[in-house]
């Protein structure tokens, strides 16, 4: 087994707290921590129990997942604690998710969860337990640089989760360890299988943990009943082309589901005006964006490093290809127009494989000349 925890020797005198979700990744992280010789304590936050209610596998920190985490700890022989954070999770993640959709934005609850319950709260718990570090099963690499710990993409690009961890602070990164960032997923499952862990073949979590079957609108209407109203779908000049069932059903760049026929070219959602309860549509060219204003910018490169970073690229969606860009104050400026840039999403900047900054997209500047 591989995995480097980068702790001072001897590891037998160290204590590692492992965040355990009940999946194969966090289970193998715990096994690697135990193999290092350190004392291991597993911690699972009970965040949401909808997966238990519907019998859905891989709901993350629901009933069955907690039992799976406990079974791994029992088999490997280390302490495991379950801490109830359902109320805090609802307030800081679920309700914020609903409010973002109602504001015409496209939220990323996984980042909010990492910023809140998973990192901030787990950090406090780990320190209370006297841990030397907090280890997670995220696929990202922590590299010791000249100015301290750096965050780099995982070696497996299909598994890289650095986009979702952009808000990790430099202080948090010093305390965090990501032993899976240098491993392909096949090796992780092989380790779990060799140890006889019941989660070895457990499917990866799909979608957002608290959204059953991808029904985002259903969650919004449940959390904020009576807040969704039908309204107009208008073109770039404000002419009404059709009606919508509620702005929560639409995101920037969406083409399907508009139910507007007889147009000369396909229409896309260009922006959403929550104040007017309008969905604005236009041709694909109208999606072109020259820059975006960011909020909550987190810089993982020091001021001394920033000027020597060289060319930067930015991802504006988790599955987007990084695009050449630069950060000018709070504005992310693209070298060439970028498409599908949606308020509510994150923009994450990279210098080669290193995450150097990131922030929340608040508004965009159109590059459309039509």
């Amino acid at each position: 087994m591989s995995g480097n925890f980068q702790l001072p020797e001897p590891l037998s005198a160290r204590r590692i707290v492992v965040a355990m979700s009940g999946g194969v990744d966090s289970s193998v992280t715990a096994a690697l921590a135990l193999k290092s010789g350190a004392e291991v304590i597993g911690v699972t936050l009970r965040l949401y129990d909808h997966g238990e209610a519907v019998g859905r596998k891989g709901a993350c920190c629901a009933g069955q997942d907690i039992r799976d985490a406990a079974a791994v700890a029992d088999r490997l022989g280390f302490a495991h604690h379950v801490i109830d954070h359902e109320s805090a999770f609802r307030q800081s993640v679920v309700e914020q998710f609903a409010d973002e959709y109602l504001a015409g934005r496209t939220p990323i609850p996984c980042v909010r969860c990492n910023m809140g319950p998973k990192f901030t709260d787990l950090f406090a718990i780990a320190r209370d337990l006297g841990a030397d570090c907090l280890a997670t099963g995220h696929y990202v690499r922590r590299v010791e640089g000249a100015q301290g710990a750096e965050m780099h993409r995982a070696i497996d690009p299909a598994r890289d989760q650095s986009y979702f961890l952009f808000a990790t602070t430099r202080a948090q990164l010093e305390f965090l360890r990501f032993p899976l960032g240098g491993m392909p997923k096949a090796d992780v499952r092989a380790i779990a299988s060799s140890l006889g862990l019941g989660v070895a073949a457990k499917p990866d979590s799909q979608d957002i943990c608290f959204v059953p079957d991808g029904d985002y609108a259903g969650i919004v209407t449940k959390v904020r009943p009576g807040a969704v109203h039908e309204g107009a779908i208008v073109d770039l000049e404000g002419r009404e082309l059709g009606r919508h069932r509620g702005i929560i059903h639409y995101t920037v760049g969406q083409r399907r589901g508009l139910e507007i026929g007889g147009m000369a070219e396909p229409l896309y959602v260009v922006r959403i005006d929550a104040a007017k309860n309008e969905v604005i549509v236009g041709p694909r060219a109208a999606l072109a964006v020259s820059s975006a204003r960011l909020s909550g910018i987190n810089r993982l490169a020091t001021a001394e490093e920033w000027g020597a970073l060289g060319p930067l690229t930015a991802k504006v969606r988790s599955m987007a290809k990084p695009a050449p860009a630069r950060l000018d104050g709070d504005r992310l400026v693209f070298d060439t127009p970028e498409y599908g840039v949606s308020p509510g999403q994150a923009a994450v900047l990279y210098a080669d494989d290193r995450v150097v900054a990131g922030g929340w997209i608040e508004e965009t500047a159109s590059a459309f000349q039509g």
Side-chain angles (χ1 to χ4, degrees):
M1 291 193 294
S2 60
N4 184 2
F5 285 88
Q6 299 173 315
L7 290 172
E9 300 291 345
L11 282 171
S12 59
R14 303 296 168 178
R15 177 176 292 171
I16 299 173
V17 166
V18 179
M20 299 189 69
S21 67
V24 65
D25 296 327
S26 60
S27 297
V28 170
T29 296
L32 293 172
L34 201 63
K35 182 70 173 180
S36 74
E39 178 190 0
V40 173
I41 301 175
V43 174
T44 301
L45 300 180
R46 181 186 286 110
L47 301 177
Y48 196 76
D49 209 30
H50 190 87
E52 173 74 356
V54 300
R56 179 169 171 251
K57 296 288 188 181
C60 182
C61 308
Q64 183 58 51
D65 299 292
I66 291 171
R67 289 191 286 273
D68 288 343
V72 168
D74 183 64
R75 179 170 182 82
L76 296 179
F78 59 86
H80 176 249
H81 303 291
V82 179
I83 299 174
D84 188 358
H85 265 53
E86 189 170 348
S87 177
F89 180 74
R90 178 182 175 87
Q91 292 177 7
S92 64
V93 179
V94 180
E95 292 182 2
Q96 192 269 349
F97 171 86
D99 292 340
E100 284 282 272
Y101 263 114
L102 289 170
R105 296 159 62 88
T106 305
I108 316 176
C110 295
V111 177
R112 296 291 183 185
C113 186
N114 288 332
M115 291 172 64
K118 282 191 178 176
F119 278 2
T120 304
D121 298 344
L122 274 173
F123 264 75
I125 293 167
R127 292 193 184 280
D128 285 346
L129 290 171
D132 293 282
C133 71
L134 171 66
T136 81
H138 289 102
Y139 285 84
V140 66
R141 288 181 296 141
R142 178 187 181 279
V143 176
E144 285 290 348
Q147 299 294 322
E150 301 174 356
M151 182 185 295
H152 290 244
R153 291 188 179 101
I155 63 164
D156 184 346
R159 295 288 174 181
D160 175 58
Q161 293 174 298
S162 59
Y163 177 84
F164 298 100
L165 299 179
F166 83 87
T168 305
T169 67
R170 289 177 55 82
Q172 288 174 336
L173 196 55
E174 292 292 342
F175 193 61
L176 281 163
R177 299 295 185 275
F178 307 105
L180 306 189
M183 303 170 62
K185 182 67 174 236
D187 287 2
V188 173
R189 290 200 181 277
I191 291 172
S193 180
S194 71
L195 294 172
L197 303 183
V199 297
K202 186 176 180 178
D204 293 333
S205 297
Q206 299 295 321
D207 301 317
I208 299 168
C209 67
F210 59 89
V211 183
D213 304 319
D215 184 9
Y216 302 161
I219 290 294
V220 176
T221 54
K222 180 179 179 181
V223 173
R224 297 287 186 252
V228 179
H229 307 282
E230 73 166 36
I233 300 176
V234 302
D235 65 13
L236 297 174
E237 284 73 43
R239 294 184 293 259
E240 183 170 329
L241 302 179
R243 304 292 294 177
H244 66 73
R245 296 177 292 128
I247 61 174
I248 65 172
H249 296 281
Y250 304 87
T251 59
V252 171
Q254 179 177 331
R255 176 182 172 187
R256 298 179 183 275
L258 295 177
E259 299 180 354
I260 299 173
M263 307 303 293
E265 59 183 318
L267 295 176
Y268 297 79
V269 176
V270 175
R271 65 181 182 276
I272 298 170
D273 189 329
K276 294 182 178 179
N277 195 31
E278 289 182 343
V279 174
I280 298 91
V281 299
R284 184 179 184 278
L287 289 170
V289 164
S290 60
S291 67
R293 182 174 64 83
L294 307 184
S295 67
I297 297 174
N298 179 48
R299 292 177 182 261
L300 283 171
T302 66
E304 293 80 8
E305 293 175 303
W306 196 259
L309 289 174
L312 302 180
T313 58
K315 290 183 68 170
V316 295
R317 299 178 307 282
S318 62
M319 301 303 291
K321 181 179 179 181
R326 70 181 188 277
L327 191 60
D328 183 5
D330 66 351
R331 295 208 70 84
L332 178 65
V333 182
F334 302 103
D335 286 8
T336 59
E338 183 70 2
Y339 292 78
V341 185
S342 177
Q345 294 280 289
V348 181
L349 283 91
Y350 296 83
D352 293 324
D353 282 339
R354 181 186 175 187
V355 178
V356 295
W360 297 103
I361 300 170
E362 291 295 332
E363 60 184 13
T364 60
S366 176
F368 181 51
Q369 301 297 319

